[in-house]
Amino acid sequence: MLDKYKYWVWLGSVPGVGAVKSKKLLEYFIDPYNIFTAKEMELASLSFLTKTDIANLLNKDYKEEVNKHIENIIDNNIKIITIEDEDYPKYLKNIYDPPIILYMKGSIQKDDKYLAVVGSRRATSYGLNMAEVISRELSKCGITIVSGMARGIDTYAHKGVLSARGRTVAVLGCGLDIVYPYENKKLMQGIIENGACISEYLPGTKPLAGNFPARNRIISGMSMGVIVIEAGEKSGSLITANFALEQGREVFALPGNVNSINSTGTNKLIKEGAKMVTSLDDILEEIDAYFNESNYGSFTKKLKDDKLLKGLDEDEIKIVECLKLEPAHIDDIAVKTGLNIKVVNAVIVMLELKGIVQQLTGKIYKLNL
């Protein structure tokens, strides 16, 4: 069944011949089989190949190993998507160095619209909560959240989506037969059941540090934009943000405490022109153009449609009903709804993120519909 992918798997596994050179080889030879059978003289005529590249492409051991790779892929129930397949992520195909082959567990859908959520592995409770809330609410709007299944922000982004029964994709920096980090074994299964885990690395590939920057270009490349939630000055999330900028994607950042090392990266991004996220609208308004291109209509208008109020929980509905007549101070909201002030504070934050409530001066709130 995987015979048609044999030469794709081989090309993707040749040491030293990365995504850019593989893409150029395909442009010249059209099909990976033609590269597999190419003679030394023909390969030597290509100026972008080094002598080492040519030796590796001609190496008989690498060619014979492809059968073992295929067996390993089958044994681990892994699917293959090539850059020529219809299901290959639309935006990823157009970056400078797209992976020519992706390995997948789960499923991706042709019309999925992706946004990436990334951030610190050592996030604060505030950052983790925001990652979960933002991912959950975006998921409710029909957006598929992409992240890296790392500890911290990534983990909570995936969890937020799964709590809303939405779709999420994890891009791994290792083979799909390896759970990394191991404590995310249950989370990984949930992602596979409600989206996909994907990797450009063959099964058996360990999560080496050098794999993750390359992994990050896929996270940003397949997405309409990247949302960074807490990042230190040298965070890997900033690598993802830089890839996004190079790829022409939107970059969003959640502002943080100026005294927190976890906010130095995000605050710097905002200073350099990233879109500051203070509500869900800040994100949805920026990506409207992507949806309009595909006749999806305005997501911002959809968010403000009264029909969406039906998706609110009991406490959220009480506060919305309270604010229908006029704006109100947070203390008055607590009195009129009968809710504890701490509950009102928490619910108000949720409603602000959904773009339903707007804060005025002096802790006064009004409906933003």
PDB file of all heavy atoms in Angstrom, residues 200-218:
ATOM      1  N   GLU A 200       8.127  15.656  10.269  1.00  0.00           N
ATOM      2  CA  GLU A 200       8.875  15.380   9.039  1.00  0.00           C
ATOM      3  C   GLU A 200       9.940  14.323   9.281  1.00  0.00           C
ATOM      4  O   GLU A 200      10.666  13.945   8.370  1.00  0.00           O
ATOM      5  CB  GLU A 200       9.508  16.656   8.483  1.00  0.00           C
ATOM      6  CG  GLU A 200      10.600  17.266   9.324  1.00  0.00           C
ATOM      7  CD  GLU A 200      11.221  18.494   8.684  1.00  0.00           C
ATOM      8  OE1 GLU A 200      11.379  18.527   7.451  1.00  0.00           O
ATOM      9  OE2 GLU A 200      11.534  19.443   9.437  1.00  0.00           O
ATOM     10  N   TYR A 201      10.016  13.846  10.530  1.00  0.00           N
ATOM     11  CA  TYR A 201      11.053  12.880  10.904  1.00  0.00           C
ATOM     12  C   TYR A 201      10.520  11.449  10.894  1.00  0.00           C
ATOM     13  O   TYR A 201       9.390  11.189  11.330  1.00  0.00           O
ATOM     14  CB  TYR A 201      11.614  13.220  12.285  1.00  0.00           C
ATOM     15  CG  TYR A 201      12.239  14.586  12.345  1.00  0.00           C
ATOM     16  CD1 TYR A 201      11.632  15.622  13.047  1.00  0.00           C
ATOM     17  CD2 TYR A 201      13.432  14.852  11.677  1.00  0.00           C
ATOM     18  CE1 TYR A 201      12.200  16.883  13.099  1.00  0.00           C
ATOM     19  CE2 TYR A 201      14.007  16.115  11.714  1.00  0.00           C
ATOM     20  CZ  TYR A 201      13.389  17.131  12.422  1.00  0.00           C
ATOM     21  OH  TYR A 201      13.952  18.381  12.453  1.00  0.00           O
ATOM     22  N   LEU A 202      11.350  10.536  10.430  1.00  0.00           N
ATOM     23  CA  LEU A 202      11.001   9.126  10.385  1.00  0.00           C
ATOM     24  C   LEU A 202      10.760   8.580  11.784  1.00  0.00           C
ATOM     25  O   LEU A 202      11.351   9.062  12.762  1.00  0.00           O
ATOM     26  CB  LEU A 202      12.133   8.322   9.741  1.00  0.00           C
ATOM     27  CG  LEU A 202      12.237   8.358   8.218  1.00  0.00           C
ATOM     28  CD1 LEU A 202      13.614   7.868   7.793  1.00  0.00           C
ATOM     29  CD2 LEU A 202      11.141   7.497   7.591  1.00  0.00           C
ATOM     30  N   PRO A 203       9.918   7.534  11.919  1.00  0.00           N
ATOM     31  CA  PRO A 203       9.794   6.881  13.215  1.00  0.00           C
ATOM     32  C   PRO A 203      11.158   6.398  13.686  1.00  0.00           C
ATOM     33  O   PRO A 203      11.986   5.968  12.887  1.00  0.00           O
ATOM     34  CB  PRO A 203       8.846   5.704  12.940  1.00  0.00           C
ATOM     35  CG  PRO A 203       8.509   5.728  11.505  1.00  0.00           C
ATOM     36  CD  PRO A 203       9.065   6.952  10.887  1.00  0.00           C
ATOM     37  N   GLY A 204      11.376   6.504  14.984  1.00  0.00           N
ATOM     38  CA  GLY A 204      12.666   6.136  15.544  1.00  0.00           C
ATOM     39  C   GLY A 204      13.582   7.320  15.746  1.00  0.00           C
ATOM     40  O   GLY A 204      14.575   7.219  16.465  1.00  0.00           O
ATOM     41  N   THR A 205      13.247   8.479  15.136  1.00  0.00           N
ATOM     42  CA  THR A 205      14.072   9.674  15.296  1.00  0.00           C
ATOM     43  C   THR A 205      13.883  10.252  16.702  1.00  0.00           C
ATOM     44  O   THR A 205      12.772  10.566  17.102  1.00  0.00           O
ATOM     45  CB  THR A 205      13.705  10.752  14.254  1.00  0.00           C
ATOM     46  OG1 THR A 205      13.811  10.208  12.941  1.00  0.00           O
ATOM     47  CG2 THR A 205      14.620  11.959  14.383  1.00  0.00           C
ATOM     48  N   LYS A 206      14.971  10.392  17.429  1.00  0.00           N
ATOM     49  CA  LYS A 206      14.903  10.882  18.799  1.00  0.00           C
ATOM     50  C   LYS A 206      14.702  12.401  18.824  1.00  0.00           C
ATOM     51  O   LYS A 206      15.055  13.097  17.872  1.00  0.00           O
ATOM     52  CB  LYS A 206      16.170  10.500  19.553  1.00  0.00           C
ATOM     53  CG  LYS A 206      16.334   8.992  19.733  1.00  0.00           C
ATOM     54  CD  LYS A 206      17.611   8.653  20.480  1.00  0.00           C
ATOM     55  CE  LYS A 206      17.739   7.138  20.639  1.00  0.00           C
ATOM     56  NZ  LYS A 206      18.999   6.757  21.367  1.00  0.00           N
ATOM     57  N   PRO A 207      14.146  12.913  19.931  1.00  0.00           N
ATOM     58  CA  PRO A 207      13.896  14.367  20.043  1.00  0.00           C
ATOM     59  C   PRO A 207      15.166  15.148  20.347  1.00  0.00           C
ATOM     60  O   PRO A 207      15.355  15.692  21.433  1.00  0.00           O
ATOM     61  CB  PRO A 207      12.890  14.451  21.198  1.00  0.00           C
ATOM     62  CG  PRO A 207      13.181  13.254  22.036  1.00  0.00           C
ATOM     63  CD  PRO A 207      13.598  12.166  21.080  1.00  0.00           C
ATOM     64  N   LEU A 208      16.045  15.228  19.368  1.00  0.00           N
ATOM     65  CA  LEU A 208      17.303  15.946  19.528  1.00  0.00           C
ATOM     66  C   LEU A 208      17.060  17.451  19.446  1.00  0.00           C
ATOM     67  O   LEU A 208      16.177  17.917  18.719  1.00  0.00           O
ATOM     68  CB  LEU A 208      18.295  15.514  18.444  1.00  0.00           C
ATOM     69  CG  LEU A 208      18.612  14.012  18.388  1.00  0.00           C
ATOM     70  CD1 LEU A 208      19.500  13.708  17.194  1.00  0.00           C
ATOM     71  CD2 LEU A 208      19.261  13.545  19.690  1.00  0.00           C
ATOM     72  N   ALA A 209      17.878  18.207  20.183  1.00  0.00           N
ATOM     73  CA  ALA A 209      17.684  19.662  20.260  1.00  0.00           C
ATOM     74  C   ALA A 209      17.672  20.320  18.884  1.00  0.00           C
ATOM     75  O   ALA A 209      16.901  21.254  18.630  1.00  0.00           O
ATOM     76  CB  ALA A 209      18.775  20.279  21.131  1.00  0.00           C
ATOM     77  N   GLY A 210      18.506  19.827  17.962  1.00  0.00           N
ATOM     78  CA  GLY A 210      18.592  20.418  16.633  1.00  0.00           C
ATOM     79  C   GLY A 210      17.360  20.241  15.778  1.00  0.00           C
ATOM     80  O   GLY A 210      17.189  20.919  14.759  1.00  0.00           O
ATOM     81  N   ASN A 211      16.472  19.325  16.175  1.00  0.00           N
ATOM     82  CA  ASN A 211      15.259  19.073  15.385  1.00  0.00           C
ATOM     83  C   ASN A 211      14.193  20.145  15.578  1.00  0.00           C
ATOM     84  O   ASN A 211      13.330  20.339  14.709  1.00  0.00           O
ATOM     85  CB  ASN A 211      14.640  17.723  15.767  1.00  0.00           C
ATOM     86  CG  ASN A 211      15.532  16.548  15.420  1.00  0.00           C
ATOM     87  OD1 ASN A 211      16.518  16.697  14.705  1.00  0.00           O
ATOM     88  ND2 ASN A 211      15.199  15.379  15.920  1.00  0.00           N
ATOM     89  N   PHE A 212      14.238  20.831  16.723  1.00  0.00           N
ATOM     90  CA  PHE A 212      13.108  21.679  17.078  1.00  0.00           C
ATOM     91  C   PHE A 212      13.029  23.011  16.326  1.00  0.00           C
ATOM     92  O   PHE A 212      11.927  23.448  15.967  1.00  0.00           O
ATOM     93  CB  PHE A 212      13.064  21.873  18.595  1.00  0.00           C
ATOM     94  CG  PHE A 212      12.695  20.603  19.308  1.00  0.00           C
ATOM     95  CD1 PHE A 212      13.673  19.731  19.751  1.00  0.00           C
ATOM     96  CD2 PHE A 212      11.365  20.253  19.487  1.00  0.00           C
ATOM     97  CE1 PHE A 212      13.343  18.535  20.372  1.00  0.00           C
ATOM     98  CE2 PHE A 212      11.014  19.066  20.102  1.00  0.00           C
ATOM     99  CZ  PHE A 212      12.007  18.197  20.554  1.00  0.00           C
ATOM    100  N   PRO A 213      14.148  23.685  16.032  1.00  0.00           N
ATOM    101  CA  PRO A 213      14.018  24.875  15.187  1.00  0.00           C
ATOM    102  C   PRO A 213      13.404  24.566  13.823  1.00  0.00           C
ATOM    103  O   PRO A 213      12.565  25.328  13.326  1.00  0.00           O
ATOM    104  CB  PRO A 213      15.480  25.354  15.058  1.00  0.00           C
ATOM    105  CG  PRO A 213      16.141  24.868  16.297  1.00  0.00           C
ATOM    106  CD  PRO A 213      15.517  23.524  16.559  1.00  0.00           C
ATOM    107  N   ALA A 214      13.797  23.431  13.233  1.00  0.00           N
ATOM    108  CA  ALA A 214      13.216  23.035  11.944  1.00  0.00           C
ATOM    109  C   ALA A 214      11.735  22.723  12.107  1.00  0.00           C
ATOM    110  O   ALA A 214      10.907  23.047  11.244  1.00  0.00           O
ATOM    111  CB  ALA A 214      13.966  21.832  11.381  1.00  0.00           C
ATOM    112  N   ARG A 215      11.386  22.084  13.236  1.00  0.00           N
ATOM    113  CA  ARG A 215       9.978  21.787  13.534  1.00  0.00           C
ATOM    114  C   ARG A 215       9.157  23.065  13.604  1.00  0.00           C
ATOM    115  O   ARG A 215       8.007  23.124  13.150  1.00  0.00           O
ATOM    116  CB  ARG A 215       9.936  21.027  14.868  1.00  0.00           C
ATOM    117  CG  ARG A 215       8.558  20.611  15.404  1.00  0.00           C
ATOM    118  CD  ARG A 215       7.820  21.714  16.144  1.00  0.00           C
ATOM    119  NE  ARG A 215       8.522  22.295  17.272  1.00  0.00           N
ATOM    120  CZ  ARG A 215       8.374  21.917  18.529  1.00  0.00           C
ATOM    121  NH1 ARG A 215       7.565  20.921  18.830  1.00  0.00           N
ATOM    122  NH2 ARG A 215       9.013  22.545  19.492  1.00  0.00           N
ATOM    123  N   ASN A 216       9.765  24.127  14.175  1.00  0.00           N
ATOM    124  CA  ASN A 216       9.040  25.385  14.375  1.00  0.00           C
ATOM    125  C   ASN A 216       8.616  26.039  13.066  1.00  0.00           C
ATOM    126  O   ASN A 216       7.602  26.730  13.012  1.00  0.00           O
ATOM    127  CB  ASN A 216       9.886  26.356  15.194  1.00  0.00           C
ATOM    128  CG  ASN A 216      10.067  25.893  16.633  1.00  0.00           C
ATOM    129  OD1 ASN A 216       9.358  25.006  17.093  1.00  0.00           O
ATOM    130  ND2 ASN A 216      11.020  26.479  17.335  1.00  0.00           N
ATOM    131  N   ARG A 217       9.401  25.852  12.000  1.00  0.00           N
ATOM    132  CA  ARG A 217       9.034  26.460  10.715  1.00  0.00           C
ATOM    133  C   ARG A 217       7.755  25.828  10.165  1.00  0.00           C
ATOM    134  O   ARG A 217       7.005  26.461   9.400  1.00  0.00           O
ATOM    135  CB  ARG A 217      10.175  26.321   9.703  1.00  0.00           C
ATOM    136  CG  ARG A 217      10.166  25.014   8.910  1.00  0.00           C
ATOM    137  CD  ARG A 217      11.391  24.830   8.074  1.00  0.00           C
ATOM    138  NE  ARG A 217      11.277  23.735   7.122  1.00  0.00           N
ATOM    139  CZ  ARG A 217      11.311  22.441   7.418  1.00  0.00           C
ATOM    140  NH1 ARG A 217      11.444  22.052   8.673  1.00  0.00           N
ATOM    141  NH2 ARG A 217      11.202  21.517   6.464  1.00  0.00           N
ATOM    142  N   ILE A 218       7.484  24.569  10.542  1.00  0.00           N
ATOM    143  CA  ILE A 218       6.259  23.889  10.110  1.00  0.00           C
ATOM    144  C   ILE A 218       5.071  24.432  10.889  1.00  0.00           C
ATOM    145  O   ILE A 218       3.999  24.678  10.318  1.00  0.00           O
ATOM    146  CB  ILE A 218       6.385  22.363  10.292  1.00  0.00           C
ATOM    147  CG1 ILE A 218       7.541  21.821   9.452  1.00  0.00           C
ATOM    148  CG2 ILE A 218       5.085  21.663   9.911  1.00  0.00           C
ATOM    149  CD1 ILE A 218       7.805  20.338   9.652  1.00  0.00           C
TER     150      ILE A 218
END
